[in-house]
Amino acid sequence: MSTYKLDYLDQLESEAIHIMREVAGQFERPALLFSGGKDSITLVHLALKAFRPGKFPFPLVHIDTGHNFQEALDFRDWLAESLGEKLIVRYVEDTIREKKLKEPTGRNASRNALQTFTLLDTIEEFEFDACIGGARRDEEKARAKERVFSVRDEFGSWDPKLQRPELWNIYNGKIHKGENVRVFPISNWTELDVWNYIKRENIALPSIYFAHERELILRDGKLLATAKGVIQQEETDEIVTRRVRFRTVGDISCTAAVESDADTLEAAIAEIQATRISERGETRIDDQVSEAAMEDRKKGGYF
């Protein structure tokens, strides 16, 4: 008698699809946060498997800092249009102007934290009660202790001491008016899992994830993209041209590249297998402000 077995990618895929369908079943106005990065692209692919041939039961939403990589933005627009799904974009620049927010200045200044204000305004504007995102537990210690269904209060704040049990893949989405839930279907995946799944499913990615020649700013051992008006060059900075790729695609001002010759999926996977540093640990400057940088942002409403 034959036995039915799922390999580990099938198990992760099945769990993620189950979570997405739970969101569709439990919430009235969910949304999927989509930046054009590899994790949110993977979420869109999983949503296709969960809901096609029907339309997605949620729009795609992007909070644009105005300092995003153009490769990711172009891919974002292309994918949403090719799938025929609704894409909502809200801009941090507009929030800064309307709320008269003070934009960070100085060394390694970034709009990344200001995304929180725009995200909370967008949630209020469309009355979203659940927002699906591509955060994973292997990325950073604050994310490692967050539940799949992460309840936020009416101010968008996360309290790590008030989390709900999730036994036997049972998720409780009951919330009070004004609260919302952040949902992480690929929380149990690793960076390597994502890349292996992308390879298996033949998922397209922006070119920025693969090795290419690029002019960069060398600062404190980090390779930052040159972007006029985004990163202010200092006297100690050095302009170099290197062959690099980006392991994670966030705000230009706080995302560093890594030197690499990995110009194919297979080569990128081999490179990730050999590394001993997480993608955010190696490339995200905003997470290195303090030991609790990510957790502090989450408590303030950050995704």
Side-chain angles (χ1 to χ4, degrees):
M1 186 172 110
S2 64
T3 57
Y4 179 67
K5 292 184 179 180
L6 298 175
D7 70 13
Y8 84 100
L9 286 179
D10 290 328
Q11 292 177 28
L12 291 171
E13 177 189 73
S14 179
E15 178 187 54
I17 289 173
H18 166 66
I19 292 166
M20 284 197 167
R21 288 173 175 167
E22 281 292 302
V23 171
Q26 292 193 43
F27 298 97
E28 293 182 4
R29 295 184 181 88
L32 191 155
L33 297 191
F34 176 61
S35 65
K38 69 181 186 311
D39 297 310
S40 61
I41 291 170
T42 299
L43 286 179
V44 169
H45 185 80
L46 290 164
L48 289 170
K49 290 202 168 190
F51 303 112
R52 282 295 192 255
K55 299 282 286 183
F56 291 174
F58 39 67
L60 306 178
V61 177
H62 185 215
I63 306 302
D64 190 341
T65 65
H67 294 167
N68 297 100
F69 289 96
Q70 192 59 47
E71 295 94 329
L73 295 179
D74 291 343
F75 192 94
R76 175 202 70 185
D77 295 340
W78 168 79
L79 186 59
E81 184 178 358
S82 65
L83 295 177
E85 295 294 342
K86 182 179 180 180
L87 173 65
I88 297 170
V89 181
R90 290 295 180 267
Y91 298 92
V92 173
E93 185 82 46
D94 293 339
T95 306
I96 292 172
R97 184 177 61 255
E98 292 165 6
K99 291 184 177 293
K100 296 180 171 56
L101 298 177
K102 181 176 176 58
E103 192 163 354
T105 58
R107 187 178 180 82
N108 297 328
S110 171
R111 287 180 175 176
N112 204 33
L114 296 181
Q115 289 183 88
T116 299
F117 296 96
T118 311
L119 174 61
L120 295 178
D121 286 348
T122 304
I123 290 172
E124 182 178 6
E125 177 185 354
F126 294 96
E127 299 183 342
F128 293 136
D129 50 4
C131 293
I132 302 168
R136 307 186 322 270
R137 288 187 174 127
D138 75 316
E139 291 181 288
E140 200 274 340
K141 54 184 176 293
R143 287 180 167 174
K145 63 184 181 183
E146 191 167 15
R147 299 287 193 263
V148 173
F149 272 34
S150 179
V151 178
R152 305 298 179 95
D153 65 20
E154 61 270 28
F155 304 106
S157 300
W158 174 59
D159 186 347
K161 295 181 179 179
L162 290 177
Q163 300 195 77
R164 296 172 177 177
E166 293 179 341
L167 306 176
W168 307 294
N169 289 346
I170 297 175
Y171 304 103
N172 178 5
K174 187 174 182 180
I175 55 175
H176 298 291
K177 185 174 178 60
E179 294 178 335
N180 65 86
V181 177
R182 313 291 171 85
V183 182
F184 308 111
I186 61 172
S187 185
N188 291 328
W189 298 40
T190 66
E191 181 188 11
L192 186 58
D193 293 335
V194 172
W195 278 93
N196 281 328
Y197 186 74
I198 287 169
K199 180 177 182 293
R200 190 187 80 170
E201 299 291 311
N202 195 29
I203 299 172
L205 290 177
S207 60
I208 198 169
Y209 281 108
F210 301 100
H212 58 283
E213 294 284 336
R214 197 180 193 102
E215 186 178 82
L216 302 145
I217 297 173
L218 178 59
R219 175 185 294 176
D220 300 330
K222 301 287 188 185
L223 294 167
L224 302 172
T226 54
K228 188 176 181 181
V230 177
I231 299 178
Q232 299 301 320
Q233 190 176 345
E234 301 179 349
E235 289 184 5
T236 55
D237 292 340
E238 182 183 352
I239 302 297
V240 298
T241 299
R242 300 282 172 83
R243 187 167 173 80
V244 299
R245 72 180 192 88
F246 287 83
R247 289 179 67 184
T248 178
V249 179
D251 194 272
I252 290 175
S253 61
C254 60
T255 306
V258 295
E259 291 195 69
S260 172
D261 289 318
D263 55 2
T264 65
L265 281 171
E266 292 79 9
I269 289 170
E271 190 175 270
I272 294 164
Q273 287 173 326
T275 189
R276 292 295 177 267
I277 306 174
S278 72
E279 57 193 302
R280 293 190 73 94
E282 185 175 21
T283 68
R284 293 302 288 268
I285 296 170
D286 53 333
D287 287 350
Q288 298 169 19
V289 174
S290 72
E291 281 292 311
M294 172 65 81
E295 184 163 329
D296 290 343
R297 293 202 302 275
K298 279 180 170 288
K299 287 179 179 177
Y302 187 77
F303 203 81

